[in-house]
Structures are given as C-alpha cells and as structure tokens.
Amino acid sequence: MHGRLDYVVEEHGFDKMKKNFAIIGGGATGPLLLSRIAEEALENNTRCDGLTIHLIDPNGFGNGGIAYGMAHSNHKLNSIPSEMNGNKSSSFPAFLNQKNISFDNEEFNTRASYKPYIKDELVDKPIAILRSLGAQVVVHRSSAFIKKDSSDTYSIVDQDPTQEGNDANLLAPELTELTSDDFVLTVGYGGNNNFKSLQGKTGYVHNIYDRDLSLVDRFPQLGSEDVRIAVLGSGPGLYDVANELNIIPSDLFVFSGSGKGLSVRDVSVEDGESSISPQQLLNMDVNASLERVLKCVSDEFQTASSNRSHRRIGLDINKNLKEILHNLDESVAEEFLKSPTLAYIKHCATPVPLASKEKLDQLSPTFVRGKVRDENITTNDDGSFTISSNGNKCEVDIIINATGHGRHNAPILNSLKQDDLASVSKRTAVLDTDHTGYRLCESGIAVIGPATHIGTDGMESFAPFADDLAKKTVQNWQPLNEKAEPQLQSIEWN
Ligand SMILES: Cc1cc2nc3c(=O)[nH]c(=O)nc-3n(C[C@H](O)[C@H](O)[C@H](O)COP(=O)(O)OP(=O)(O)OC[C@H]3O[C@@H](n4cnc5c(N)ncnc54)[C@H](O)[C@@H]3O)c2cc1C
C-alpha cells in the first residue's frame, strides 16, 4: 500500500489513518485552499488527528504572491473590499476595520492591504484551527519539485530533478510515495519565455516582478538620468515599470503591436453594473468559424449600455475564455488567441489608474508600433542593444520585458512537462486538465491557478475549485475519524 494508507493504527477503538497532505505555493491561492480546508473541518466537526499538512513556499507561506506581494500604492485591487472575502468566515472589510485601516467600499483598496489579510486570516488562523483539531501543520521555507517514483507515486524534493548536477533532497522524509491526491500545486505564473536569446544578459530585465528587490535595486542603471530604456509591451507591466522609475530617462521607447498604451479606465465600480455570462460565445460549437466568433464578440460589445460598460464586457468574456476556447475547433481557438479582438477584450478588462498614467506621461515615452521578437534585437560590443522593428530602429542600454506572465513556465511546472506528467493544450495555451478543470490529464496532480486557466486570474476565480477540493479532502478524511469535540465549533478570533 502506498501513501496515505501506509500506517493504519488502532487507537481509542477506531481505525485512525495517517496522511500527509502538501500545498506547494503559498501566494494567494495556496492560503485560500488552506483556509477552506480548516473551515470545512471546523464546520463538519472533523477531528484531524494523524493528518499532517505541509505548507511549502521558499518565500514563506502567505507572502502575498505576485499580485498582493507588491507594495506600490498605485497598485489597486480589482474588486471592492466587500468582494475580496477570501473565505466564508473571514471578511476583508471586518479585517480592515479591526486593523483600523480606513476604506471606502465603493473604491478599490491598495493591493498591499490584502497581504496581511492573507497572512492573518488565510494562513495563521487556519493553522491554529487545524492544530486545535489535532492536525500537524509543518511550514517549509523551500522550493519544491516533484520526482516520479513509480507509476502512481511521487516524492516532493527541494531541487529541480531535471537539472543535471542537482542533488534532489527530500523536503521531509514523509513526503515520499505520495499519490496525486496527496498534494496540490498553487505555484502561480512563471516568467515568460519571450526573448530567449537575451536571457542572462546584463541590461535585460526578464521579470519585472521580483519579490525581494525593487526594479531599480536590481538594475541600478535605471536610477541614472542618461539611461536609455526600451519597454517591450504596453499593457499593465508598462505602468508597473513607470511607477518604479524615480528618474526621467533620456529615452524611453515602448514597443507594442498597437503602438499605444492602455486607456485610462474608470477603476471604480459602475453604478448598477452586474456580471453576465456571454451565452452566445459559450454556446459556440466546434464548427464555428473564426469570423463567427469575432462577430459574436462584436455583438457582445454592441450591447454596451450604461448598465454594462466595455470594461464589464471585457471582464465577462475574459472570465469565460477557457470554456469558450474549449468548444471551438483547435485551429480557430489558436487564431482567436492571436487576434487583435482578444487583445481588445484584455484591454477593456484591465483598468489603469489615473495615477499610473500620469506617472508614465511624466517620463515622455515614445510609443513604437511593432512587435519585437528575438531576431529584432542585436547586442552591441558595449553591451547596449539595437532594436529594429517595423522600419523603426533604436539603441538602448536596458530592455525591459513587460510582455506578460508565462502561465505554465514556473520551474516546477516545466519539470512536470519534461517528465510527461503535464502537457499544454494548443487550444487554450494552458496546462491540459481533466473535466474537473484542475487535475492534470497525464498525472492527475491538482494545479489550482493561472497555469490551468486562461482568462481567469486570482483567488476569486479559483475559489470554487479550492472549495471543492477542500470538501473532498475533509470528506475523505472524515469516515475514519471520530467527530470533533463540540466546543471546537466555538473557536473565536479577535
Ligand atoms: C501586478 C499584478 C496584478 C495582478 N492583478 C490581479 C487582479 O487584480 N486580480 C486577479 O485576480 N489577479 C491578478 N493578478 C494575477 C495574480 O498573479 C493572481 O491573481 C494571483 O497571484 C494568483 O495566485 P497564485 O496563488 O496562483 O499565484 P501567486 O500568488 O503568484 O503565488 C505562487 C506562489 O508559489 C510559490 N512557488 C512558486 N514555485 C514554487 C515551488 N517550486 N515550490 C514552492 N513554492 C513555489 C511562489 O513563491 C509564490 O508564493 C495580478 C498579477 C500581477 C503581477
């Protein structure tokens, strides 16, 4: 027998099983899952003796992740406080009140205000609940990788087993011989693979979102007035870069397919606006042509009214994108993913606060129309770069890749792909999953997060998956356990 049925011991007259369960990745979604498991156990009076939950993240579990780990005040949440409740029992507005942080429920709070909420309410509190119910919770400040042992068992190790010369150590001896039901990946986005030929070059900024150091701390050249900068991409990343710069560079070129930046949108909640599902698009069948799909999108935008703005429509289509793409013919889906229409949908769904736009304007950017690829860039003898695109040419000292996330390029996901434990769908450009939407087709490993979804981001969108998984985890555990003492129901937190 493997994994969770390894040890079955008689105690207090009932069979008690020992189980190890691991959550790998403690940004936003990992804590959400943890807190839902604790809520489920508490609601169902489930004693968890014998259950050990391992929480693994090199940056600490509850670090805010890529979205909420960012402290810049121009970064705003994309939902109003009352819609940012991570789980059923911990209200975000109540947390803000308790911490004496002022907020307006009609406005978006800063992202930074969400990180302590994640740590306190979605990590520390659930850990205390689970421990009070008899579970052991072990926090590992380490990266994790998956090593395949036999056809249905895995080990969690701390070094990438696909990298030569890496001695993969077991993170904890009990994390061997796990089945795919015993761990969940919530590892977020990886960096993107664009501009492979520039990787590792001084002056090339591969990832703008480094958790530990600001952009200028990592690239001190960005603090000098005579620096020449090219930003590739004109989406939210461009505004994030602008917010980080403290100087006015001698040149700031922005390359993008559209040749312009995002328009500033109303980031407040439109009066009476509610989300709807784009039924016509969701009902497309496999014979639908690209033209038909584009016409349908255009029809959706035609319905814009005071009650349904372009921003809302963009958000609604974006949220349902994976399902829409699933119904389409593979080649139509691929074309749609590359189409300017999809770029417009994303553009509409992305609000840029006025403060970020003003900051960018102060830097007097020159927008250049033209997509840049590896072959458009040459590195000069002095380390500077020449970029030629669409008949335009410029020379810069620093190239900043602001073309977006990688989705499924995190090292742990790459190693799964290399081991044939995961594959990427051509239709949706995310990891292939089974009907549940979060278990990888090849290995059955659960991955909750952007790696398996397109169009949807964040805790809000993954909450239903976390909910389902938490229920199953607790249900699976319950039959072999006694019920919790009733007084556990009344645990209160100040
Ligand atoms: C500036 C910015 C704004 C955003 N705004 C929004 C928004 O408004 N709404 C929204 O819904 N989404 C937004 N996103 C997307 C955002 O990335 C997700 O919403 C959210 O962070 C996803 O949560 P996650 O838990 O999947 O990933 P993350 O929060 O990124 O967490 C992943 C965690 O996994 C850890 N990890 C990675 N590899 C390993 C490994 N091998 N072993 C152990 N741990 C590992 C990382 O250290 C990290 O803590 C934004 C992203 C950015 C960059």
Side-chain angles (χ1 to χ4, degrees):
M1 254 184 290
H2 300 300
R4 63 188 173 159
L5 294 177
D6 248 349
Y7 318 84
V8 179
V9 290
E10 270 289 292
E11 204 180 291
H12 307 303
F14 63 93
D15 276 348
K16 196 177 231 185
M17 97 187 146
K18 270 201 165 185
K19 177 182 167 115
N20 283 294
F21 181 75
I23 304 178
I24 302 176
T29 313
L32 173 73
L33 175 60
L34 176 73
S35 76
R36 288 295 300 117
I37 293 173
E39 273 187 338
E40 277 299 314
L42 199 55
E43 270 173 25
N44 293 296
N45 292 338
T46 307
R47 287 276 325 160
C48 299
D49 309 82
L51 172 66
T52 305
I53 300 190
H54 296 267
L55 305 176
I56 311 173
D57 194 311
N59 297 302
F61 213 86
N63 62 68
I66 196 170
Y68 310 110
M70 308 197 59
H72 201 286
S73 60
N74 282 357
H75 284 289
K76 302 273 196 226
L77 295 171
N78 69 346
S79 294
I80 52 172
S82 63
E83 289 174 0
M84 289 298 297
N85 301 323
N87 60 22
K88 292 184 201 161
S89 55
S90 302
S91 137
F92 182 50
F95 174 81
L96 292 172
N97 276 328
Q98 186 197 323
K99 296 278 168 191
N100 289 326
I101 300 172
S102 62
F103 70 96
D104 176 344
N105 205 37
E106 296 305 307
E107 293 294 331
F108 297 128
N109 254 50
T110 59
R111 276 176 195 286
S113 64
Y114 206 63
K115 181 172 161 179
Y117 169 77
I118 292 181
K119 184 75 175 80
D120 287 15
E121 297 292 312
L122 306 186
V123 177
D124 292 349
K125 182 168 152 183
I127 288 179
I129 291 176
L130 287 161
R131 284 185 178 151
S132 77
L133 289 170
Q136 283 197 51
V137 183
V138 186
V139 184
H140 305 260
R141 211 182 168 101
S142 169
S143 286
F145 292 86
I146 311 294
K147 190 162 83 61
K148 189 156 172 36
D149 292 333
S150 69
S151 62
D152 57 359
T153 62
Y154 304 93
S155 293
I156 297 182
V157 295
D158 67 357
Q159 299 279 320
D160 188 342
T162 64
Q163 297 293 311
E164 250 177 71
N166 260 352
D167 274 341
N169 295 312
L170 296 174
L171 211 51
E174 64 267 33
L175 292 177
T176 58
E177 299 223 325
L178 301 172
T179 71
S180 57
D181 286 344
D182 301 332
F183 58 94
V184 177
L185 306 182
T186 53
V187 292
Y189 294 93
N192 77 36
N193 274 339
N194 298 338
F195 316 111
K196 286 200 185 82
S197 68
L198 296 181
Q199 294 285 351
K201 288 202 168 153
T202 316
Y204 171 59
V205 181
H206 164 60
N207 180 4
I208 51 178
Y209 300 113
D210 185 284
R211 202 175 315 257
D212 297 323
L213 291 173
S214 75
L215 201 55
V216 180
D217 285 340
R218 279 190 291 149
F219 292 86
Q221 310 96 298
L222 289 172
S224 121
E225 299 271 351
D226 56 8
V227 71
R228 301 164 299 170
I229 303 171
V231 176
L232 309 182
S234 63
L238 166 66
Y239 298 88
D240 292 338
V241 170
N243 280 320
E244 295 252 6
L245 295 178
N246 302 319
I247 45 98
I248 298 190
S250 65
D251 285 319
L252 175 61
F253 297 101
V254 178
F255 286 86
S256 76
S258 66
K260 52 184 190 218
L262 294 175
S263 36
V264 179
R265 313 211 149 252
D266 179 8
V267 291
S268 67
V269 177
E270 287 83 352
D271 234 3
E273 200 185 62
S274 57
S275 73
I276 60 126
S277 62
Q279 276 313 323
Q280 263 198 315
L281 278 165
L282 282 165
N283 293 338
M284 287 273 154
D285 64 49
V286 74
N287 298 319
S289 64
L290 181 63
E291 290 68 34
R292 171 104 190 78
V293 179
L294 299 182
K295 164 85 172 54
C296 230
V297 173
S298 147
D299 289 349
E300 287 288 343
F301 280 106
Q302 295 293 328
T303 66
S305 65
S306 57
N307 280 350
R308 201 160 170 248
S309 62
H310 274 215
R311 175 173 167 252
R312 179 81 259 168
I313 294 164
L315 278 172
D316 290 343
I317 299 179
N318 207 32
K319 205 157 70 186
N320 290 287
L321 206 53
K322 189 176 180 193
E323 212 178 322
I324 293 169
L325 291 167
H326 252 304
N327 296 339
L328 301 177
D329 172 73
E330 199 173 285
S331 60
V332 171
E334 269 185 72
E335 285 306 307
F336 182 52
L337 277 176
K338 287 189 249 155
S339 70
T341 301
L342 187 64
Y344 182 68
I345 292 167
K346 301 253 176 215
H347 172 95
C348 290
T350 313
V352 173
L354 184 61
S356 296
K357 167 78 165 61
E358 283 173 355
K359 182 69 205 289
L360 178 65
D361 288 347
Q362 283 165 20
L363 306 178
S364 309
T366 306
F367 281 91
V368 186
R369 192 156 184 270
K371 282 209 164 163
V372 178
R373 298 199 168 75
D374 263 347
E375 57 268 27
N376 302 113
I377 304 172
T378 48
T379 309
N380 306 317
D381 291 344
D382 62 356
S384 65
F385 304 99
T386 302
I387 308 176
S388 316
S389 171
N390 214 14
N392 300 296
K393 200 172 199 174
C394 72
E395 197 170 298
V396 295
D397 307 301
I398 296 217
I399 293 181
I400 301 179
N401 178 1
T403 59
H405 303 291
R407 284 199 178 271
H408 43 76
N409 285 325
I412 187 171
L413 299 174
N414 271 337
S415 71
L416 287 177
K417 283 186 273 176
Q418 278 188 40
D419 282 354
D420 294 328
L421 299 175
S423 61
V424 177
S425 157
K426 269 185 148 186
R427 189 177 284 137
T428 59
V430 295
L431 294 177
D432 281 315
T433 49
D434 68 5
H435 67 283
T436 63
Y438 59 83
R439 285 195 178 271
L440 298 178
C441 283
E442 287 71 9
S443 54
I445 295 170
V447 181
I448 312 183
T452 53
H453 286 73
I454 183 159
T456 54
D457 277 330
M459 328 208 352
E460 315 96 271
S461 348
F462 297 114
F465 297 116
D467 215 38
D468 192 42
L469 202 59
K471 277 197 176 72
K472 286 193 182 121
T473 305
V474 172
Q475 273 163 14
N476 286 344
W477 183 248
Q478 202 170 14
L480 289 173
N481 282 271
E482 62 181 341
K483 292 274 183 185
E485 298 299 319
Q487 69 261 25
L488 286 167
Q489 270 185 308
S490 61
I491 288 181
E492 278 180 13
W493 302 90
N494 299 314

